[in-house]
Amino acid sequence: MMTDPYDISAPVIYDLVLRSRRTVLPDGTRPAAVAIAGERIAVIGDYDEPVPAHRTEDLHDLALLPGLVDTHVHVNEPGRTEWEGFATATRAAAAGGVTTIVDMPLNSLPPTVDTAALAAKRAAAEGRTWVDTGFWGGAIPGNDADLKGLHDSGVFGFKCFTAPSGVDEFPPLDAAGLHRACATVAALDSLLIVHAEDPAHLHETDTAADFATFLGTRPAEAETSAIREVIAAAKATGARVHILHLAAAEALAEIYDAWLDGVKITVETCPHYLTLAAERIADGATAFKCCPPIRGEANREALWAGLIDGQIDIVVSDHSPSPPSMKTGDFATAWGGIASIQLGLPVMWTEARRRGWALSDIVRWMCAGPADLVGLHRKGRITAGADADLVVFDPEREWTVRAEDLLHRHPVTPYDGQALTGQVVSTWLRGKRIDTEAAPRGRQLRRSPR
């Protein structure tokens, strides 16, 4: 029987009860009734259990999932709001079942590399987010002294590049700079997240009309070489490090060996690396360009193997949109970024379902795992005491992506025209259904001590 977790002697009337025969809980998927009091999940009972509530919704066979947590989102505001912005990015996130994002320190102007820039970022986001939003800081040459201020101001960690980022105001760290950043992060008990490509293995080209030419300019060895340097720096300093958007599956063995050796290392990949393949990208299809690049089908299968056996920790979007004019031309000159925040859940579910995996696996990879990475332990799970961030999802619904229907700022995505299975029906943030036509209710999040 359901009881009030605060005062079991008093009669309880919950604000809302959501019932679903397919509720994805930490211990598995089963019929359940989720009772919400205020902004939190109060208790979880049996599907048929009578529960006093001001409002009850029976979802029947629709699935009830925790809200997705996407820790890799480029919002680009302030400064490059014409690329994206808090209003458009978070509306798209909500439509895709994402209830929490953590915003990258670039490509905004100024980049989030000191407390003044973080204040500008927070001011730009205030009152404009439909989902809860946190922020990464940036580690660039010369800002070591700024990291503690950013940490004390609540960023969830620090991003760096080992190769040029694509924007001049966010330069990469060399090997010495990477070691210094790791030492600072270790002293702060924070987290360094790394775009790991070794510039010594990157090749310039003036033109690349076909994807194979572009792929040749950023070989797998660029990732594996940089990851070795990250591992060495983490091992020497004791820093926690996280490898961003892994595309090269051959690096997994070294990451796993480092973890076995006691290095505090985690790794993510993205839906586009798990569902797309270089062999199927047409000439001139620059919506598919990202860095590191989408690799071949054999590599994709190896990434899936790493995800299934736990060598890959999480799956996040790396949503990095730009104006359509920047995605034209050829693969050498087009902006390298995939716009996909609204589509991650159905894209991943379509592929995972085909391979025989379950919604509980999606929740582990895209909800609980990313929440745990940044210490948001009230996010990403349906359990008593957690924020009532929920997604009603139709796992059988078949539909086709139309880029012009998506809510991020520009109608460009490599998934345009793709047939998918599974569609978000509604998204709930802290106990209330998100209405993107109403005023936004998203909050700004700050890191809590571990």
Side-chain angles (χ1 to χ4, degrees), residues 205-363:
T205 182
D206 293 330
T207 182
D210 63 285
F211 191 78
T213 298
F214 167 65
L215 183 59
T217 69
R218 302 185 94 97
E221 180 59 22
E223 291 187 73
T224 56
S225 176
I227 288 169
R228 290 186 202 109
E229 187 63 44
V230 174
I231 290 169
K235 188 172 185 178
T237 61
R240 286 193 301 137
V241 295
H242 178 75
I243 303 300
L244 297 167
H245 47 48
L246 183 74
E250 64 189 59
L252 284 173
E254 295 192 51
I255 294 170
Y256 185 60
D257 287 346
W259 179 79
L260 289 175
D261 195 34
V263 176
K264 292 177 281 191
I265 187 168
T266 51
V267 59
E268 70 185 42
T269 193
C270 305
H272 41 278
Y273 299 127
L274 292 166
T275 64
L276 305 176
E279 294 90 341
R280 298 177 180 273
I281 298 175
D283 293 355
T286 52
F288 290 80
K289 181 182 176 180
C290 57
C291 298
I294 296 163
R295 304 195 185 279
E297 292 179 352
N299 181 84
R300 181 191 62 201
E301 297 308 303
L303 287 175
W304 269 103
L307 181 63
I308 297 309
D309 69 15
Q311 293 186 35
I312 295 174
D313 298 277
I314 62 173
V315 179
V316 289
S317 71
D318 190 11
H319 177 70
S320 185
S322 64
S325 60
M326 295 180 64
K327 293 295 281 185
T328 59
D330 69 7
F331 289 106
T333 57
W335 176 256
I338 300 287
S340 63
I341 193 168
Q342 190 172 336
L343 298 171
L345 174 56
V347 165
M348 279 297 295
W349 172 237
T350 299
E351 186 68 13
R353 182 175 184 260
R354 185 182 71 81
R355 294 169 179 267
W357 300 101
L359 284 172
S360 57
D361 299 305
I362 297 290
V363 166

Side-chain angles (χ1 to χ4, degrees), residues 119-131:
K121 177 80 76 170
R122 291 193 185 280
E126 185 63 31
R128 298 177 61 80
T129 60
W130 269 270
V131 303

Side-chain angles (χ1 to χ4, degrees), residues 56-259:
T56 297
E57 292 193 24
D58 194 333
L59 306 174
H60 301 288
D61 289 325
L62 294 176
L64 185 63
L65 284 60
L68 273 65
V69 178
D70 193 338
T71 54
H72 196 148
V73 180
H74 293 270
V75 175
N76 306 331
E77 187 177 9
R80 290 191 174 97
T81 312
E82 72 275 11
W83 293 22
E84 186 62 288
F86 286 105
T88 49
T90 60
R91 285 182 73 207
V98 178
T99 53
T100 302
I101 66 168
V102 186
D103 171 56
M104 285 292 167
L106 74 162
N107 302 296
S108 54
L109 290 169
T112 315
V113 295
D114 55 38
T115 55
L118 177 62
K121 177 80 76 170
R122 291 193 185 280
E126 185 63 31
R128 298 177 61 80
T129 60
W130 269 270
V131 303
D132 287 350
T133 301
F135 303 95
W136 295 107
I140 63 172
N143 84 324
D144 290 341
D146 294 301
L147 301 190
K148 185 178 186 304
L150 285 165
H151 177 76
D152 292 344
S153 297
V155 299
F156 286 89
F158 302 94
K159 179 178 185 176
C160 71
F161 281 73
T162 60
S165 69
V167 290
D168 293 339
E169 68 275 3
F170 203 98
L173 299 178
D174 61 14
L178 178 65
H179 279 251
R180 284 194 299 272
C182 279
T184 301
V185 165
L188 294 172
D189 192 20
S190 186
L191 173 66
L192 188 70
I193 62 173
V194 187
H195 178 125
E197 288 183 288
D198 184 345
H201 294 279
L202 301 180
H203 313 297
E204 297 292 333
T205 182
D206 293 330
T207 182
D210 63 285
F211 191 78
T213 298
F214 167 65
L215 183 59
T217 69
R218 302 185 94 97
E221 180 59 22
E223 291 187 73
T224 56
S225 176
I227 288 169
R228 290 186 202 109
E229 187 63 44
V230 174
I231 290 169
K235 188 172 185 178
T237 61
R240 286 193 301 137
V241 295
H242 178 75
I243 303 300
L244 297 167
H245 47 48
L246 183 74
E250 64 189 59
L252 284 173
E254 295 192 51
I255 294 170
Y256 185 60
D257 287 346
W259 179 79

